[in-house]
Amino acid sequence: MVCFIYYTITHESASVIYCFCLYVLYERSTPEPRVKMERSRLAFDHWMHKHYFTFRDTIGRNITVQCNLCLPKINILSTARDSTSNLKKHLECHSPCQMRKRQNTEMSEPEPLFLPPKRLKSAVWEYFGYLKDPGGTINADGYPVCRLCRKKVSARTGNTSNMAHHLRDHHPKEFAKMKRKHSVVCRRRIRDAPSVEAPSSDGPSVLENQMAESSSEAKEDMIDPTTIYHQTSQSRLNTLVFNFIVEDVQPISILEQPGFRKLIEALSRGNKVMCRNTFITRLEVASNKMKGELKAKLDKVQTLCTTADVWSVQDRSYFGMTCHWLEDNLERKSAALACTRIPISYTCETIIAKIQETHSSYNIESKVQATVTDNGNNFVKAFKEFSSEDDQEVEQSRFEDLGSILCDGEMGGDFFLSYFLPPHQRCASQTLNSIASKDLADAVSKGQAGKLHSSAIEKCAAIWHKAQSSTEAANAIESIAKMNFTIPCLNQWSSEYYAINKLMSLTDSQLNQLSEVLGVPHFTPDETAYLTEYTDVFKPVAFALDLLHGEEKCFLGIVIPTLLTLKRKLEEKAANTRLFSKVIDSTVKAIDSCFKQVFESSDARLATATMPQFRLWWLPEDERESLRAQLITEVLQVDQGTEETETNGGPVHEDEFFSYGPGSSSNKGGKREAAEEVWLYLQGTNKDLKCLNEFPGVKKVFIKFNTTLPSSAPVQELFSNGSNIVTPKGHHLSDERQNLRRIQILEKNLLKNHPK
């Protein structure tokens, strides 16, 4: 075959024509059977990118193909029969995006691995598997592939030693996790189920995934959960269920609900949920153990205070009590002592009896410095009638026969009640809240701006009502104000104050937009100015309430300085306000009247004097010397009490009985005298509590008087803080055998010792 080619033909066309001529010559000289035989052994036929090319011909040791990506331009390429390197280079140069796409696909989607269709006795198969051939059959050739590094490991004749050695040498973390996690051998037949990801510590294992897939509804009755190797023991399950009921105060009847039992049995893989009687038995044991540990701890405490409260809800009344003490490092500790039912029509005698019963059950009658309660009439009347404080003077002293008193009861039953009744401390936080809610509010309503106050508060209440009753309104408020709005709580003045303060932090345009969106009346300029001045003047009151409402870092010694500072700041505001001068005067008088007992209390004054933050700086100059003398007396008493405690119970030597001359206890070297220690303490300027470690006597006095809390908030949290005990849900709890009290006390003490 002869062809004439003109010189005007381009170089690329000449190459195509040349290849075509070679193809024609070879086609005529090569027999057909040989082409078919050689074509069957081409590397091109098994190449993953061959769909980008069209096979043309085999010429000797080479083949020619046409690139489909270069169309409509015809591009004929040549490569060896046993290699595709030229074609790969062509793709990398002319179509790199296709190569990257293919490589990413290969990296993100590895071929799935499958477990062999036989009984597996080793947990190491969680990390290995086999590939499938094109026909869909698992190629269990004795060389399983590692799911972590995709390497083949020899495991012929069913021996998995090499697989375990591979994990140990190349994946030590996964090997340690396997040894720790799989304590029981899997004896279940593993069915075919693909897994494309290596096992991770965050998610379920491969075997667990395959178990879950095979546990579909169609095969649910075929599952035998007792054969799964990773199990939760029955004792561990009982502990978890017990803690769930106690910590969340769930009804005991949940143990008998079918849905809950099925859920736990499925999650625990075959274990059974404890019955009601088992739970009650464990509850009794845990309650007795907790009480024993708490009594042992309280035996080592020298001084503590208690808080008590009565809560009534849905024709039921509950009595609650907590105790609080200071460790040697001045860290406050707390515990719940009681939470029990009392008659709905309880009397003062009922309250006093419960207080004494709780104190005596923990052997703390002589250690209670004070019992803190709210200002309710029930507690005020009870402590007033049965108080044994020193201010109740005896008209005439006379001797009585103790035997006749004990046998005949001439002193009456009240004698024994009053003898064990501790001093009463009213909640300072609630007292100040009552002043702000009643006295301050009455003074404002009767003042010159009473009508302005009423109209402004009504518009604020309308906004709060919209935000509370409508989710759309709440979202609109948050989008306009760019903050979460606070809905005031009932009978809490500080909550209302902070809600008003948030509204007044908005600009006039935001307030107008908010009123338009919610459909409430707009604030007038006078109302806005009034509320702004209101929040500025009474800001110290809200701050003082927050201080007195604490627990861990709140002491009795903070009450007097807080009240004095509050009075001073309010009097300073009175000189600059135009609307609240008379209101401030009424508020200051109410503070003096309601806290008169606190200002005159020697315990509160000594508690304040032993706080390094205040010392005697808060007192007038003419009163400091008297309080300093009282502090010296208390330091002497606590030192003597400590020495008596150390020598109590042992034989007393003659030299220890007398304290005269050198070497006696009163003249031991190295011990500071009380007066010198108090003087050094009062001259100091360090306001940190840790400085009390330098003054051991003053520190003991601090612990004695500052153990008392200024607030009864802890016992209120016993009922309301995350508890279901005073809700209708709590009524499902069994009141028999005092299960209600036990669960609540356990829940409170668990949270104190192990906070969430």
Side-chain angles (χ1 to χ4, degrees):
M1 179 177 178
V2 181
C3 298
F4 294 93
I5 305 174
Y6 292 96
Y7 183 76
T8 57
I9 299 177
T10 62
H11 177 72
E12 292 182 358
S13 302
S15 299
V16 173
I17 295 174
Y18 174 75
C19 293
F20 176 75
C21 294
L22 291 177
Y23 167 72
V24 173
L25 292 175
Y26 187 80
E27 185 75 14
R28 290 188 173 185
S29 61
T30 305
E32 184 71 17
R34 181 179 178 183
V35 173
K36 294 182 179 180
M37 179 185 66
E38 293 180 355
R39 171 67 190 273
S40 62
R41 296 195 298 267
L42 297 180
F44 175 79
D45 292 338
H46 304 282
W47 189 36
M48 65 179 67
H49 302 296
K50 72 174 185 178
H51 57 281
Y52 295 125
F53 301 88
T54 301
F55 180 82
R56 288 296 187 182
D57 193 12
T58 302
I59 303 176
R61 295 183 179 181
N62 298 330
I63 63 172
T64 57
V65 295
Q66 177 181 336
C67 180
N68 298 330
L69 299 176
C70 296
L71 293 176
K73 177 183 176 180
I74 299 177
N75 195 355
I76 305 298
L77 304 173
S78 176
T79 185
R81 291 185 302 172
D82 56 350
S83 175
T84 58
S85 59
N86 290 345
L87 304 182
K88 184 177 180 181
K89 292 178 181 179
H90 174 77
L91 283 180
E92 292 176 350
C93 296
H94 295 80
S95 302
C97 60
Q98 298 294 336
M99 292 293 294
R100 287 195 299 269
K101 182 177 179 181
R102 181 67 181 179
Q103 291 174 359
N104 293 336
T105 303
E106 293 176 358
M107 294 177 63
S108 61
E109 297 182 2
E111 294 186 64
L113 299 178
F114 299 85
L115 296 174
K118 64 178 182 179
R119 300 183 67 87
L120 303 178
K121 299 182 179 180
S122 176
V124 76
W125 281 105
E126 181 179 356
Y127 301 91
F128 291 87
Y130 289 104
L131 297 172
K132 281 187 177 181
D133 57 18
T137 305
I138 298 177
N139 186 19
D141 55 355
Y143 291 91
V145 180
C146 177
R147 299 179 188 273
L148 301 174
C149 60
R150 314 300 289 188
K151 289 185 178 181
K152 288 188 176 182
V153 179
S154 176
R156 293 183 175 274
T157 67
N159 193 339
T160 59
S161 299
N162 291 340
M163 299 161 64
H165 293 164
H166 173 82
L167 277 183
R168 182 194 62 191
D169 298 337
H170 297 85
H171 314 289
K173 292 184 179 180
E174 298 298 330
F175 179 76
K177 186 177 70 172
M178 181 194 69
K179 298 293 289 183
R180 181 174 63 254
K181 182 178 179 182
H182 309 300
S183 58
V184 182
V185 180
C186 175
R187 302 183 183 276
R188 173 183 168 84
R189 179 183 177 86
I190 308 299
R191 304 185 185 276
D192 294 348
S195 176
V196 299
E197 295 183 359
S200 63
S201 59
D202 296 333
S205 63
V206 175
L207 291 181
E208 291 173 345
N209 286 334
Q210 294 187 356
M211 295 290 184
E213 291 178 3
S214 63
S215 61
S216 60
E217 295 181 358
K219 302 179 180 181
E220 184 177 1
D221 54 348
M222 301 174 58
I223 298 177
D224 183 10
T226 59
T227 61
I228 298 180
Y229 59 88
H230 184 56
Q231 289 183 332
T232 301
S233 63
Q234 185 67 51
S235 60
R236 174 63 176 165
L237 175 63
N238 292 342
T239 302
L240 292 174
V241 173
F242 179 83
N243 292 340
F244 162 71
I245 295 177
V246 171
E247 292 179 10
D248 294 339
V249 197
Q250 297 292 330
I252 306 177
S253 59
I254 195 175
L255 297 173
E256 302 171 348
Q257 297 178 3
F260 178 78
R261 300 183 68 89
K262 289 181 180 179
L263 173 66
I264 298 301
E265 291 173 5
L267 294 178
S268 63
R269 297 177 172 98
N271 291 331
K272 302 298 182 182
V273 180
M274 71 174 80
C275 64
R276 183 189 187 93
N277 293 334
T278 302
F279 174 83
I280 293 176
T281 302
R282 292 175 66 97
L283 182 62
E284 292 178 354
V285 173
S287 179
N288 294 333
K289 180 181 178 181
M290 181 273 299
K291 186 174 181 179
E293 294 176 351
L294 184 57
K295 288 179 65 176
K297 185 180 296 184
L298 295 180
D299 287 341
K300 303 176 182 179
V301 177
Q302 299 297 325
T303 305
L304 54 84
C305 80
T306 56
T307 62
D309 194 13
V310 174
W311 194 285
S312 298
V313 58
Q314 297 194 5
D315 299 332
R316 296 192 179 193
S317 295
Y318 299 89
F319 173 82
M321 176 172 283
T322 62
C323 70
H324 311 267
W325 67 94
L326 293 175
E327 298 285 353
D328 188 62
N329 59 356
L330 304 183
E331 181 182 359
R332 187 175 292 280
K333 297 293 184 178
S334 305
L337 299 182
C339 181
T340 183
R341 284 280 303 277
I342 60 174
I344 188 63
S345 57
Y346 57 88
T347 61
C348 297
E349 290 79 2
T350 305
I351 295 176
I352 296 303
K354 280 296 180 183
I355 293 176
Q356 290 184 338
E357 176 186 348
T358 306
H359 287 173
S360 61
S361 63
Y362 288 92
N363 300 325
I364 59 175
E365 308 98 306
S366 59
K367 299 181 179 182
V368 179
Q369 184 72 14
T371 297
V372 187
T373 69
D374 58 16
N375 296 331
N377 293 330
N378 46 11
F379 282 103
V380 174
K381 183 179 178 181
F383 278 92
K384 185 177 180 181
E385 292 185 3
F386 301 100
S387 178
S388 62
E389 297 180 357
D390 297 336
D391 55 354
Q392 293 183 350
E393 299 179 356
V394 181
E395 295 181 357
Q396 185 178 359
S397 298
R398 58 191 179 94
F399 292 99
E400 295 287 348
D401 181 38
L402 181 60
S404 62
I405 294 176
L406 296 176
C407 298
D408 302 335
E410 294 181 0
M411 299 292 292
D414 295 348
F415 169 76
F416 299 100
L417 288 175
S418 62
Y419 185 78
F420 295 105
L421 196 63
H424 183 213
Q425 176 69 37
R426 297 192 184 187
C427 178
S429 176
Q430 189 182 31
T431 303
L432 185 58
N433 180 76
S434 177
I435 293 174
S437 301
K438 297 179 181 179
D439 298 84
L440 190 150
D442 292 342
V444 169
S445 61
K446 296 177 182 179
Q448 57 181 354
K451 294 182 179 179
L452 191 61
H453 176 82
S454 300
S455 61
I457 295 299
E458 286 178 1
K459 293 178 181 180
C460 293
I463 295 177
W464 299 330
H465 177 72
K466 289 279 187 178
Q468 188 175 16
S469 59
S470 173
T471 305
E472 296 179 358
N475 295 334
I477 292 174
E478 293 180 6
S479 62
I480 295 173
K482 307 301 182 183
M483 66 176 70
N484 294 327
F485 256 76
T486 304
I487 308 300
C489 299
L490 186 64
N491 297 328
Q492 290 189 9
W493 180 89
S494 60
S495 177
E496 179 182 299
Y497 169 83
Y498 287 121
I500 296 175
N501 190 40
K502 278 195 172 184
L503 280 176
M504 292 301 101
S505 65
L506 303 179
T507 62
D508 293 338
S509 60
Q510 287 178 324
L511 280 176
N512 293 332
Q513 184 181 0
L514 191 63
S515 300
E516 292 177 0
V517 171
L518 300 180
V520 298
H522 290 257
F523 287 93
T524 64
D526 292 339
E527 292 171 344
T528 305
Y530 171 82
L531 291 178
T532 302
E533 186 175 351
Y534 176 86
T535 56
D536 177 66
V537 169
F538 296 107
K539 181 179 180 180
V541 180
F543 188 80
L545 280 170
D546 293 340
L547 282 179
L548 298 178
H549 197 70
E551 177 182 351
E552 293 184 0
K553 297 182 179 181
C554 192
F555 309 99
L556 179 61
I558 204 175
V559 177
I560 293 180
T562 300
L563 297 175
L564 294 177
T565 305
L566 175 60
K567 289 171 55 179
R568 178 175 55 82
K569 289 185 176 294
L570 288 177
E571 291 171 352
E572 292 174 357
K573 296 284 186 181
N576 301 321
T577 182
R578 61 185 181 87
L579 298 175
F580 299 103
S581 58
K582 294 183 179 180
V583 176
I584 290 176
D585 293 339
S586 301
T587 305
V588 171
K589 291 179 181 178
I591 293 175
D592 290 333
S593 175
C594 295
F595 288 99
K596 180 180 179 181
Q597 183 180 1
V598 176
F599 287 132
E600 297 176 354
S601 171
S602 60
D603 289 1
R605 293 164 69 89
L606 286 170
T608 306
T610 53
M611 292 193 68
Q613 186 179 0
F614 307 113
R615 290 184 168 89
L616 298 183
W617 301 323
W618 53 278
L619 268 178
E621 292 289 344
D622 55 345
E623 298 182 15
R624 294 183 181 181
E625 184 62 29
S626 174
L627 188 57
R628 186 179 71 86
Q630 294 182 29
L631 182 57
I632 294 174
T633 303
E634 288 294 335
V635 172
L636 286 172
Q637 290 181 356
V638 295
D639 287 340
Q640 293 175 0
T642 304
E643 293 178 0
E644 291 177 0
T645 303
E646 293 175 354
T647 60
N648 188 21
V652 180
H653 194 268
E654 180 178 347
D655 293 338
E656 295 177 355
F657 177 76
F658 297 105
S659 58
Y660 300 105
S664 63
S665 59
S666 61
N667 294 322
K668 287 184 179 179
K671 284 190 177 182
R672 297 176 180 173
E673 294 184 358
E676 180 183 357
E677 180 180 344
V678 170
W679 184 85
L680 291 174
Y681 163 73
L682 295 178
Q683 293 299 317
T685 57
N686 190 351
K687 296 184 179 182
D688 192 354
L689 281 178
K690 295 181 181 179
C691 73
L692 291 177
N693 294 324
E694 303 175 7
F695 311 99
V698 178
K699 180 180 178 181
K700 294 174 184 177
V701 178
F702 172 88
I703 294 176
K704 176 181 178 181
F705 292 102
N706 280 290
T707 295
T708 304
L709 285 171
S711 172
S712 61
V715 72
Q716 297 172 5
E717 295 176 358
L718 179 65
F719 298 110
S720 59
N721 186 18
S723 303
N724 301 322
I725 211 165
V726 294
T727 62
K729 179 181 179 181
H731 296 335
H732 295 289
L733 293 167
S734 176
D735 281 342
E736 298 87 6
R737 305 173 68 180
Q738 299 178 337
N739 295 328
L740 183 66
R741 176 182 63 86
R742 290 178 177 142
I743 290 178
Q744 183 66 359
I745 294 176
L746 279 176
E747 181 265 344
K748 190 67 175 178
N749 292 335
L750 281 174
L751 290 179
K752 286 291 183 183
N753 297 327
H754 307 284
K756 297 182 181 178

